[in-house]
Amino acid sequence: MAPTPEVDDRPRDPQGRAWYQPGWLVKLNLAPFRPRIVESLQDYDRERLWRDVGAGLTVGIVALPLAMAFAIASGVKPEAGLFTAIIAGFLISALGGSQVQIGGPAGAFIVIVYGIVERYGLANLLISTVLAGGILFAMGLFRLGVLVRYIPVSIVIGFTNGIAVLIALSQVKDLLGLHPASMPADFVGQLRTLWACREQFNPYALGLGLTTVAGLFFWPRLFSPSGIVPLALHGTRGFRVAARMPGPMMVLITMGAITALLDLPVATIGSKFGGIPQSLPGLVWPEFSWEGIRHLFMPTFTIALLGAIESLLCARVADNMTDFRRHDPNQELMAQGIANMVTPFFGGIPATGTIARTVTNVRAGASSPVAGMVHALALLLVVLVAAPLASHVPLAVLAGILLFIAWNMGEWREFFKLRQYNYTYRTILVGTFVLTVVVDLTVAVEVGLVMACVFFIYRMSTLFKLQPLPAAGADHNLPHEPAGVAVYRLYGSLFFGAVGKVEELPDQLLPGTRVLVLEMQRLISIDTSGLDALVQLRRTLERRDVALLLCEVNDQPLSLIRRSGQDKLFGERNLLPDLPAALTRARALCEATASAFT
């Protein structure tokens, strides 16, 4: 006789893979390391290559002034932003889980990076970035990419608008031509410093900055069908070439040339930083110490959290703009983690997905991550060939570019639409915004999440109801409950935030009640606190000589009752399949009680 095959009854995931090894040793369900470029290069042809090369070169032109501006605003040298865009941009595209996302230094990091440099120094920024990269990689490896989606949109809008305000404030000194000895990281301190340096105001710097903002605003509008350029010129070669030139690059070249030709007395990259080195970055090895790492826990957590949010939000924007397969959030986080672990050793700063450059990449016709890799190589070529030209770029022009980015970064219309939303949404959004600007981004996100959780618990508790059924027989074609029987129907979810309604139930019963029936057909779930509330309800009723019957208990509550062993406390005879059976049982209990007193 053939032996009976063993049945593998180990718990499995939705793909049919066992979660546990023999011997019930836990097997971690880790995310596979599968960069999107492997899939994208299948059936890759020359046409797609030329599209990616063109898109990469376009994004590289856009990224050049932004990388330098983000670095300077973050309190580091401009080459740190360029090296970050080159190294991190290449790694994020080559190893990421998105088809078209572009990585590099981002405006969202300006406030965080500046604060870390101001408080802990550049060496500790590099350490914090490496540690944040490790956290990001672990988040992706353990499939935590989906958790970022659980952050409420009110918090995202609140801290995004707050960061936009702080970015704009950080550029006021260069916009006005001020040169304070040091600039504090906090909002109030910056305002005081700017006011103390007001006598250093430089009208030439202000003129360059405002002209830059105006140029960025009007440049794309010049080439629209309703623009000021005559329609007769729209089909010319010169018009088509000019229309493809990014606004930031145009104002950078134009304002830089005007400054050099007129010899305007304004600060430039060359006068403040000595220019940009025309060479590859050297290896930087920061000094690691447990004492230093211990103080960097919150900055590290902030970089990791903000990097995860920004990169996955950017990837979702790209998904909505294209017909490519949706991004893999876990692979994207692993790529972001590797990029942030490698870049600091070459003098780089934190990197993440960038919406402006990703949108440019999509609109330029990118079809694979090759475009992002080309963008990084294009920036490397610029550094090796044209770095000396960057010395003539005025800081006021970079300030104007960042002011324009900050304005576009904020979702200001949400403030005007607050009346359309409930009190919870308004409180979380405004609270997160104010805390981001006045206190700190980390505190803002923490408090915002706590407020969101508290409001959610309160809202869910209001959905739980205990409704008396005084005429169950008339409503359900059932026998009328005898005197001394109270019937209540439970709705929603009985969890720790709603147990107060169950605790108040004994005081709501009429005098002479002998049996309480809880009809639980519409109770979809219960947690351990809810079960404990039912247990305490039964004990309270028992002291008052009132029996408790549960009927039509759904699978999840019934499973918890049985797994916890509380079915023995309630008694199997008191767990009824439906309301008619419960009323029959209640009638029998009332009659037994009545006969005991006669």
Side-chain angles (χ1 to χ4, degrees):
M1 184 175 179
T4 304
E6 295 184 3
V7 178
D8 186 359
D9 58 352
R10 291 175 293 173
R12 297 181 179 275
D13 64 8
Q15 286 74 37
R17 295 172 296 191
W19 279 347
Y20 301 101
Q21 294 177 338
W24 300 102
L25 293 176
V26 176
K27 180 180 178 181
L28 297 177
N29 188 24
L30 302 179
F33 190 83
R34 191 179 301 117
R36 182 59 59 86
I37 192 172
V38 176
E39 173 189 315
S40 301
L41 291 182
Q42 296 177 2
D43 302 326
Y44 198 72
D45 53 24
R46 183 178 299 178
E47 180 183 354
R48 291 182 61 192
L49 173 62
W50 284 116
R51 286 172 55 193
D52 287 337
V53 170
L57 293 176
T58 301
V59 178
I61 295 173
V62 174
L64 177 64
L66 298 183
M68 293 189 295
F70 290 151
I72 294 173
S74 300
V76 298
K77 293 184 177 180
E79 59 263 29
L82 290 173
F83 295 157
T84 302
I86 294 169
I87 300 172
F90 187 90
L91 292 175
I92 289 173
S93 294
L95 305 177
S98 174
Q99 195 95 345
V100 292
Q101 175 153 262
I102 301 295
F109 279 131
I110 289 177
V111 180
I112 303 300
V113 172
Y114 188 87
I116 295 175
V117 172
E118 182 73 16
R119 297 186 183 113
Y120 305 104
L122 181 60
N124 284 322
L125 168 66
L126 304 182
I127 295 173
S128 186
T129 305
V130 172
L131 297 176
I135 295 175
L136 284 168
F137 185 85
M139 289 175 64
L141 186 64
F142 290 100
R143 299 180 180 271
L144 299 181
V146 295
L147 296 182
V148 178
R149 300 177 183 174
Y150 297 151
I151 297 179
V153 66
S154 54
I155 294 179
V156 175
I157 294 175
F159 79 67
T160 301
N161 287 0
I163 290 173
V165 170
L166 292 176
I167 291 174
L169 180 63
S170 69
Q171 299 309 299
V172 172
K173 64 179 181 64
D174 289 331
L175 181 70
L176 301 180
L178 309 181
H179 42 87
S182 63
M183 197 71 175
D186 62 289
F187 177 76
V188 177
Q190 290 188 21
L191 291 178
R192 290 175 177 172
T193 302
L194 292 173
W195 180 252
C197 299
R198 62 189 182 277
E199 295 180 357
Q200 301 173 359
F201 169 67
N202 186 337
Y204 296 100
L206 179 61
L208 286 174
L210 294 181
T211 304
T212 298
V213 174
L216 291 172
F217 179 80
F218 287 109
W219 180 255
R221 291 165 174 79
L222 293 177
F223 306 100
S224 64
S226 58
I228 63 175
V229 178
L231 291 176
L233 299 177
H234 282 211
T236 62
R237 181 180 181 86
F239 180 89
R240 291 196 300 269
V241 172
R244 293 174 183 172
M245 287 296 293
M249 197 65 190
M250 288 301 300
V251 297
L252 199 69
I253 296 174
T254 305
M255 295 296 103
I258 291 175
T259 302
L261 291 175
L262 300 181
D263 194 22
L264 297 179
V266 294
T268 62
I269 290 179
S271 64
K272 184 170 184 178
F273 300 101
I276 295 175
Q278 196 174 0
S279 61
L280 294 173
L283 183 65
V284 178
W285 191 261
E287 295 184 5
F288 286 85
S289 68
W290 172 246
E291 186 65 23
I293 293 175
R294 208 160 49 86
H295 294 293
L296 295 175
F297 174 77
M298 287 311 300
T300 298
F301 174 77
T302 304
I303 292 175
L305 178 62
L306 189 57
I309 294 173
E310 285 290 313
S311 63
L312 296 185
L313 283 178
C314 178
R316 290 176 65 182
V317 170
D319 289 341
N320 295 332
M321 295 180 64
T322 65
D323 296 327
F324 301 127
R325 191 163 71 89
R326 298 189 69 83
H327 73 282
D328 180 353
N330 298 313
Q331 181 63 41
E332 189 62 35
L333 289 182
M334 286 191 281
Q336 300 283 343
I338 293 174
N340 281 285
M341 284 189 287
V342 173
T343 306
F345 291 104
F346 297 91
I349 56 179
T352 185
T354 57
I355 293 180
R357 277 158 276 176
T358 298
V359 171
T360 303
N361 192 39
V362 172
R363 291 176 177 171
S367 67
S368 76
V370 173
M373 299 163 65
V374 171
H375 129 270
L377 296 176
L379 285 174
L380 176 61
L381 183 63
V382 170
V383 170
L384 295 179
V385 175
L389 297 177
S391 300
H392 303 290
V393 175
L395 298 182
V397 172
L398 295 179
I401 293 175
L402 285 181
L403 284 173
F404 188 76
I405 291 175
W407 174 257
N408 289 326
M409 179 181 177
E411 299 186 43
W412 312 111
R413 294 181 181 178
E414 293 297 322
F415 288 119
F416 298 100
K417 297 192 299 184
L418 285 178
R419 290 185 178 181
Q420 303 175 12
Y421 300 104
N422 57 26
Y423 174 79
T424 300
Y425 182 91
R426 296 197 299 264
T427 302
I428 295 175
L429 192 154
V430 176
T432 305
F433 171 76
V434 173
L435 288 174
T436 300
V437 173
V438 179
V439 184
D440 182 73
L441 175 62
T442 308
V443 175
V445 174
E446 291 173 349
V447 174
L449 287 173
V450 170
M451 287 194 298
C453 292
V454 170
F455 283 129
F456 176 77
I457 292 170
Y458 171 76
R459 186 165 59 252
M460 292 300 297
S461 67
T462 60
L463 298 179
F464 174 75
K465 295 180 181 179
L466 267 168
Q467 180 181 5
L469 298 179
D475 291 342
H476 301 279
N477 196 24
L478 302 172
H480 288 278
E481 58 266 31
V485 176
V487 181
Y488 280 80
R489 173 174 290 163
L490 278 63
Y491 295 84
S493 177
L494 180 55
F495 70 111
F496 63 90
V499 296
K501 296 180 181 180
V502 175
E503 295 170 350
E504 297 170 357
L505 185 55
D507 297 330
Q508 300 175 9
L509 299 180
L510 297 176
T513 301
R514 290 290 170 258
V515 180
L516 172 63
V517 178
L518 296 183
E519 197 256 22
M520 304 172 65
Q521 182 185 15
R522 292 170 177 79
L523 185 72
I524 58 176
S525 67
I526 185 174
D527 68 355
T528 53
S529 298
L531 177 59
D532 182 69
L534 291 179
V535 171
Q536 297 302 325
L537 173 65
R538 185 208 174 269
R539 291 172 178 169
T540 301
L541 295 176
E542 186 179 26
R543 290 194 294 268
R544 301 183 183 184
D545 294 325
V546 179
L548 176 63
L549 306 181
L550 307 181
C551 69
E552 298 191 52
V553 186
N554 282 316
D555 291 342
Q556 189 275 335
L558 184 61
S559 173
L560 181 59
I561 291 173
R562 296 193 187 284
R563 285 186 286 111
S564 63
Q566 298 298 343
D567 54 332
K568 299 181 178 61
L569 176 67
F570 290 107
E572 286 292 340
R573 296 182 62 189
N574 297 329
L575 298 174
L576 289 308
D578 50 39
L579 187 56
L583 293 177
T584 302
R585 169 70 173 159
R587 186 182 298 276
L589 290 175
C590 288
E591 292 174 353
T593 303
S595 62
F597 287 96
T598 57

